[in-house]
Short mmCIF file of all heavy atoms in Angstrom, two decimals:
data_model
loop_
_atom_site.label_atom_id
_atom_site.label_comp_id
_atom_site.label_asym_id
_atom_site.label_seq_id
_atom_site.Cartn_x
_atom_site.Cartn_y
_atom_site.Cartn_z
N LEU N 249 120.54 110.77 155.31
CA LEU N 249 119.75 109.59 155.60
C LEU N 249 118.74 109.85 156.72
O LEU N 249 118.95 110.71 157.58
CB LEU N 249 120.63 108.40 155.95
CG LEU N 249 121.65 108.51 157.07
CD1 LEU N 249 122.05 107.10 157.53
CD2 LEU N 249 122.93 109.22 156.64
N PHE N 250 117.66 109.09 156.67
CA PHE N 250 116.69 109.05 157.75
C PHE N 250 116.85 107.71 158.45
O PHE N 250 116.97 106.67 157.79
CB PHE N 250 115.28 109.24 157.22
CG PHE N 250 114.97 110.66 156.84
CD1 PHE N 250 115.27 111.13 155.57
CD2 PHE N 250 114.40 111.53 157.76
CE1 PHE N 250 114.99 112.44 155.22
CE2 PHE N 250 114.11 112.85 157.42
CZ PHE N 250 114.41 113.31 156.16
N ILE N 251 116.83 107.74 159.78
CA ILE N 251 117.10 106.55 160.58
C ILE N 251 116.20 106.56 161.82
O ILE N 251 115.61 107.58 162.17
CB ILE N 251 118.58 106.50 161.04
CG1 ILE N 251 118.92 107.75 161.88
CG2 ILE N 251 119.52 106.36 159.86
CD1 ILE N 251 120.28 107.69 162.54
N THR N 252 116.14 105.43 162.49
CA THR N 252 115.66 105.39 163.86
C THR N 252 116.85 105.70 164.78
O THR N 252 117.92 105.10 164.62
CB THR N 252 115.11 104.00 164.21
OG1 THR N 252 113.97 103.72 163.40
CG2 THR N 252 114.70 103.92 165.68
N GLY N 253 116.68 106.63 165.71
CA GLY N 253 117.77 106.96 166.61
C GLY N 253 118.27 105.75 167.36
O GLY N 253 117.50 105.13 168.12
N PRO N 254 119.53 105.35 167.18
CA PRO N 254 120.06 104.16 167.85
C PRO N 254 120.50 104.49 169.28
O PRO N 254 120.74 105.66 169.61
CB PRO N 254 121.26 103.78 166.99
CG PRO N 254 121.75 105.10 166.44
CD PRO N 254 120.52 105.95 166.25
N PRO N 255 120.60 103.49 170.13
CA PRO N 255 121.04 103.72 171.51
C PRO N 255 122.56 103.92 171.59
O PRO N 255 123.28 103.10 172.16
CB PRO N 255 120.59 102.45 172.24
CG PRO N 255 120.60 101.39 171.18
CD PRO N 255 120.23 102.08 169.89
N GLY N 265 115.06 105.61 169.39
CA GLY N 265 113.83 104.95 168.97
C GLY N 265 112.88 105.83 168.19
O GLY N 265 111.78 105.39 167.85
N THR N 266 113.29 107.07 167.89
CA THR N 266 112.44 107.97 167.11
C THR N 266 113.06 108.24 165.75
O THR N 266 114.25 108.04 165.54
CB THR N 266 112.24 109.31 167.85
OG1 THR N 266 113.49 110.04 167.86
CG2 THR N 266 111.77 109.09 169.28
N LEU N 267 112.25 108.75 164.83
CA LEU N 267 112.75 109.08 163.50
C LEU N 267 113.64 110.31 163.56
O LEU N 267 113.29 111.33 164.17
CB LEU N 267 111.57 109.36 162.56
CG LEU N 267 111.92 109.70 161.10
CD1 LEU N 267 112.54 108.49 160.39
CD2 LEU N 267 110.69 110.18 160.34
N LEU N 311 128.70 102.25 160.39
CA LEU N 311 127.36 101.84 159.97
C LEU N 311 127.26 100.33 159.78
O LEU N 311 126.45 99.84 159.00
CB LEU N 311 126.97 102.56 158.67
CG LEU N 311 126.83 104.08 158.78
CD1 LEU N 311 126.48 104.67 157.42
CD2 LEU N 311 125.78 104.48 159.80
N ASP N 312 128.07 99.58 160.49
CA ASP N 312 128.05 98.12 160.35
C ASP N 312 126.66 97.56 160.63
O ASP N 312 126.00 97.95 161.61
CB ASP N 312 129.06 97.48 161.30
CG ASP N 312 130.46 97.44 160.72
OD1 ASP N 312 130.64 97.97 159.61
OD2 ASP N 312 131.36 96.92 161.39
N ASP N 313 126.24 96.63 159.77
CA ASP N 313 124.96 95.96 159.97
C ASP N 313 125.11 94.94 161.10
O ASP N 313 125.98 94.07 161.02
CB ASP N 313 124.53 95.19 158.71
CG ASP N 313 124.55 96.06 157.47
OD1 ASP N 313 124.36 97.27 157.62
OD2 ASP N 313 124.74 95.52 156.37
N PRO N 314 124.27 95.00 162.12
CA PRO N 314 124.36 93.96 163.14
C PRO N 314 123.94 92.62 162.56
O PRO N 314 122.99 92.55 161.75
CB PRO N 314 123.38 94.44 164.22
CG PRO N 314 122.46 95.39 163.53
CD PRO N 314 123.25 96.00 162.41
N MET N 317 119.92 90.14 161.70
CA MET N 317 118.75 90.94 161.33
C MET N 317 118.18 90.47 159.99
O MET N 317 118.86 89.84 159.19
CB MET N 317 119.14 92.42 161.23
CG MET N 317 119.74 92.99 162.49
SD MET N 317 118.53 93.29 163.78
CE MET N 317 117.85 94.84 163.21
N ARG N 318 116.94 90.80 159.76
CA ARG N 318 116.28 90.53 158.49
C ARG N 318 116.50 91.74 157.59
O ARG N 318 116.41 92.89 158.04
CB ARG N 318 114.81 90.23 158.72
CG ARG N 318 114.61 89.08 159.71
CD ARG N 318 113.17 88.88 160.12
NE ARG N 318 112.41 88.16 159.10
CZ ARG N 318 112.45 86.84 158.92
NH1 ARG N 318 113.25 86.08 159.65
NH2 ARG N 318 111.70 86.27 157.99
N ASN N 319 116.83 91.50 156.32
CA ASN N 319 117.23 92.57 155.42
C ASN N 319 116.51 92.51 154.09
O ASN N 319 116.27 91.43 153.54
CB ASN N 319 118.74 92.47 155.13
CG ASN N 319 119.60 92.96 156.27
OD1 ASN N 319 120.16 94.05 156.22
ND2 ASN N 319 119.72 92.16 157.32
N TYR N 320 116.19 93.70 153.56
CA TYR N 320 115.65 93.82 152.21
C TYR N 320 116.04 95.20 151.70
O TYR N 320 115.74 96.20 152.35
CB TYR N 320 114.13 93.66 152.21
CG TYR N 320 113.51 93.62 150.83
CD1 TYR N 320 113.39 92.43 150.14
CD2 TYR N 320 113.07 94.79 150.22
CE1 TYR N 320 112.82 92.38 148.87
CE2 TYR N 320 112.50 94.75 148.94
CZ TYR N 320 112.39 93.55 148.27
OH TYR N 320 111.85 93.51 147.01
N TRP N 321 116.74 95.26 150.56
CA TRP N 321 117.22 96.54 150.05
C TRP N 321 116.89 96.70 148.57
O TRP N 321 116.63 95.73 147.87
CB TRP N 321 118.74 96.68 150.14
CG TRP N 321 119.48 96.06 151.25
CD1 TRP N 321 119.05 95.87 152.54
CD2 TRP N 321 120.81 95.54 151.20
NE1 TRP N 321 120.04 95.27 153.28
CE2 TRP N 321 121.13 95.06 152.49
CE3 TRP N 321 121.76 95.45 150.20
CZ2 TRP N 321 122.37 94.49 152.79
CZ3 TRP N 321 122.99 94.89 150.49
CH2 TRP N 321 123.28 94.41 151.77
N LEU N 344 108.86 105.43 157.13
CA LEU N 344 109.95 104.50 157.44
C LEU N 344 109.56 103.67 158.67
O LEU N 344 109.09 104.22 159.67
CB LEU N 344 111.23 105.31 157.71
CG LEU N 344 112.52 104.54 157.95
CD1 LEU N 344 113.71 105.33 157.38
CD2 LEU N 344 112.77 104.31 159.45
N PRO N 345 109.75 102.35 158.61
CA PRO N 345 109.37 101.50 159.75
C PRO N 345 110.23 101.82 160.99
O PRO N 345 111.42 101.55 161.02
CB PRO N 345 109.63 100.08 159.25
CG PRO N 345 109.64 100.19 157.76
CD PRO N 345 110.20 101.55 157.46
N VAL N 346 109.60 102.43 161.97
CA VAL N 346 110.27 102.84 163.21
C VAL N 346 109.61 102.12 164.38
O VAL N 346 108.38 102.02 164.43
CB VAL N 346 110.16 104.38 163.39
CG1 VAL N 346 110.71 104.81 164.75
CG2 VAL N 346 110.86 105.12 162.27
N PRO N 347 110.35 101.60 165.37
CA PRO N 347 111.81 101.59 165.41
C PRO N 347 112.39 100.30 164.84
O PRO N 347 112.09 99.22 165.32
CB PRO N 347 112.09 101.66 166.92
CG PRO N 347 110.90 100.95 167.54
CD PRO N 347 109.74 101.14 166.61
N THR N 348 113.18 100.41 163.81
CA THR N 348 113.94 99.29 163.25
C THR N 348 115.31 99.84 162.85
O THR N 348 115.58 101.02 162.99
CB THR N 348 113.26 98.68 162.00
OG1 THR N 348 113.28 99.66 160.94
CG2 THR N 348 111.81 98.28 162.28
N GLY N 349 116.15 98.99 162.30
CA GLY N 349 117.44 99.45 161.79
C GLY N 349 117.36 100.01 160.38
O GLY N 349 118.39 100.29 159.76
N THR N 350 116.16 100.17 159.86
CA THR N 350 115.95 100.62 158.48
C THR N 350 116.50 102.03 158.26
O THR N 350 116.39 102.90 159.13
CB THR N 350 114.45 100.57 158.16
OG1 THR N 350 114.01 99.22 158.25
CG2 THR N 350 114.15 101.11 156.78
N MET N 351 117.07 102.24 157.07
CA MET N 351 117.63 103.54 156.71
C MET N 351 117.16 103.93 155.31
O MET N 351 117.03 103.08 154.44
CB MET N 351 119.16 103.50 156.72
CG MET N 351 119.77 103.24 158.08
SD MET N 351 121.60 103.26 158.04
CE MET N 351 121.92 101.63 157.36
N HIS N 352 116.93 105.21 155.13
CA HIS N 352 116.58 105.78 153.82
C HIS N 352 117.75 106.68 153.46
O HIS N 352 117.95 107.73 154.08
CB HIS N 352 115.29 106.57 153.95
CG HIS N 352 114.64 106.92 152.65
ND1 HIS N 352 114.85 106.21 151.48
CD2 HIS N 352 113.75 107.90 152.32
CE1 HIS N 352 114.13 106.73 150.51
NE2 HIS N 352 113.46 107.76 150.98
N VAL N 353 118.54 106.28 152.46
CA VAL N 353 119.85 106.89 152.25
C VAL N 353 119.94 107.51 150.86
O VAL N 353 119.52 106.91 149.87
CB VAL N 353 120.98 105.84 152.39
CG1 VAL N 353 122.33 106.54 152.44
CG2 VAL N 353 120.78 104.99 153.64
N HIS N 380 119.02 104.75 148.24
CA HIS N 380 119.22 103.36 148.67
C HIS N 380 118.33 103.08 149.89
O HIS N 380 118.79 103.19 151.03
CB HIS N 380 120.70 103.16 149.00
CG HIS N 380 121.09 101.77 149.39
ND1 HIS N 380 120.45 100.64 148.94
CD2 HIS N 380 122.09 101.32 150.20
CE1 HIS N 380 121.04 99.57 149.44
NE2 HIS N 380 122.03 99.96 150.22
N PRO N 381 117.06 102.73 149.67
CA PRO N 381 116.23 102.32 150.81
C PRO N 381 116.71 100.97 151.33
O PRO N 381 116.76 99.99 150.58
CB PRO N 381 114.82 102.26 150.23
CG PRO N 381 115.01 102.08 148.75
CD PRO N 381 116.32 102.71 148.40
N PHE N 382 117.04 100.93 152.60
CA PHE N 382 117.77 99.82 153.19
C PHE N 382 117.00 99.38 154.43
O PHE N 382 117.13 99.98 155.50
CB PHE N 382 119.18 100.32 153.56
CG PHE N 382 120.14 99.29 154.06
CD1 PHE N 382 121.23 98.91 153.28
CD2 PHE N 382 120.00 98.72 155.32
CE1 PHE N 382 122.14 97.98 153.76
CE2 PHE N 382 120.91 97.78 155.79
CZ PHE N 382 121.99 97.41 155.01
N ALA N 383 116.15 98.36 154.28
CA ALA N 383 115.32 97.91 155.40
C ALA N 383 116.03 96.82 156.19
O ALA N 383 116.59 95.88 155.61
CB ALA N 383 113.97 97.41 154.90
N MET N 384 116.00 96.95 157.50
CA MET N 384 116.65 96.00 158.40
C MET N 384 115.81 95.93 159.67
O MET N 384 115.54 96.97 160.29
CB MET N 384 118.08 96.48 158.68
CG MET N 384 118.94 95.51 159.46
SD MET N 384 120.69 95.99 159.39
CE MET N 384 120.63 97.70 159.93
N TRP N 385 115.39 94.73 160.06
CA TRP N 385 114.46 94.59 161.18
C TRP N 385 114.63 93.22 161.81
O TRP N 385 115.35 92.37 161.29
CB TRP N 385 113.03 94.82 160.70
CG TRP N 385 112.50 93.78 159.76
CD1 TRP N 385 111.69 92.73 160.07
CD2 TRP N 385 112.79 93.65 158.34
NE1 TRP N 385 111.43 91.96 158.95
CE2 TRP N 385 112.09 92.51 157.89
CE3 TRP N 385 113.54 94.40 157.43
CZ2 TRP N 385 112.14 92.09 156.55
CZ3 TRP N 385 113.59 93.98 156.11
CH2 TRP N 385 112.90 92.84 155.68
N GLU N 386 113.96 92.99 162.94
CA GLU N 386 114.12 91.74 163.69
C GLU N 386 112.91 90.82 163.60
O GLU N 386 113.06 89.61 163.51
CB GLU N 386 114.39 92.06 165.17
CG GLU N 386 115.75 92.67 165.44
CD GLU N 386 115.99 92.83 166.93
OE1 GLU N 386 116.43 91.83 167.56
OE2 GLU N 386 115.75 93.92 167.46
N ASP N 387 111.71 91.36 163.65
CA ASP N 387 110.50 90.57 163.80
C ASP N 387 109.98 90.09 162.44
O ASP N 387 109.67 90.91 161.57
CB ASP N 387 109.43 91.44 164.48
CG ASP N 387 108.19 90.64 164.87
OD1 ASP N 387 108.04 89.48 164.42
OD2 ASP N 387 107.35 91.19 165.61
N ASP N 390 107.17 91.76 160.60
CA ASP N 390 107.39 93.01 159.88
C ASP N 390 107.88 92.80 158.45
O ASP N 390 108.16 93.78 157.75
CB ASP N 390 108.41 93.89 160.63
CG ASP N 390 107.81 94.55 161.85
OD1 ASP N 390 106.59 94.76 161.87
OD2 ASP N 390 108.57 94.86 162.79
N ARG N 393 105.75 94.56 155.66
CA ARG N 393 105.73 96.01 155.86
C ARG N 393 107.06 96.64 155.44
O ARG N 393 107.09 97.66 154.74
CB ARG N 393 105.44 96.32 157.33
CG ARG N 393 105.48 97.80 157.68
CD ARG N 393 104.98 98.04 159.10
NE ARG N 393 105.91 97.66 160.12
CZ ARG N 393 106.53 98.54 160.94
NH1 ARG N 393 106.29 99.83 160.81
NH2 ARG N 393 107.35 98.11 161.88
N CYS N 394 108.15 96.03 155.85
CA CYS N 394 109.47 96.60 155.55
C CYS N 394 109.84 96.45 154.08
O CYS N 394 110.36 97.39 153.47
CB CYS N 394 110.53 95.95 156.44
SG CYS N 394 110.38 96.39 158.19
N TRP N 397 107.84 98.91 152.03
CA TRP N 397 108.36 100.28 152.16
C TRP N 397 109.53 100.50 151.19
O TRP N 397 109.61 101.52 150.52
CB TRP N 397 108.81 100.56 153.60
CG TRP N 397 109.43 101.91 153.75
CD1 TRP N 397 108.77 103.11 153.89
CD2 TRP N 397 110.82 102.21 153.71
NE1 TRP N 397 109.69 104.14 153.95
CE2 TRP N 397 110.95 103.62 153.84
CE3 TRP N 397 111.98 101.44 153.60
CZ2 TRP N 397 112.19 104.27 153.86
CZ3 TRP N 397 113.21 102.08 153.61
CH2 TRP N 397 113.30 103.47 153.73
N VAL N 398 110.41 99.51 151.09
CA VAL N 398 111.53 99.62 150.15
C VAL N 398 111.01 99.74 148.72
O VAL N 398 111.46 100.59 147.94
CB VAL N 398 112.49 98.41 150.29
CG1 VAL N 398 113.51 98.39 149.15
CG2 VAL N 398 113.19 98.44 151.63
#
Side-chain angles (χ1 to χ4, degrees):
L249 56 161
F250 285 87
I251 59 171
T252 296
T266 69
L267 181 67
L311 295 178
D312 276 2
D313 308 332
M317 303 285 280
R318 304 172 79 79
N319 283 256
Y320 187 88
W321 327 327
L344 185 146
V346 174
T348 66
T350 297
M351 296 182 281
H352 194 24
V353 191
H380 183 29
F382 186 111
M384 187 166 53
W385 67 99
E386 290 185 84
D387 188 348
D390 285 333
R393 176 171 75 112
C394 291
W397 176 82
V398 170

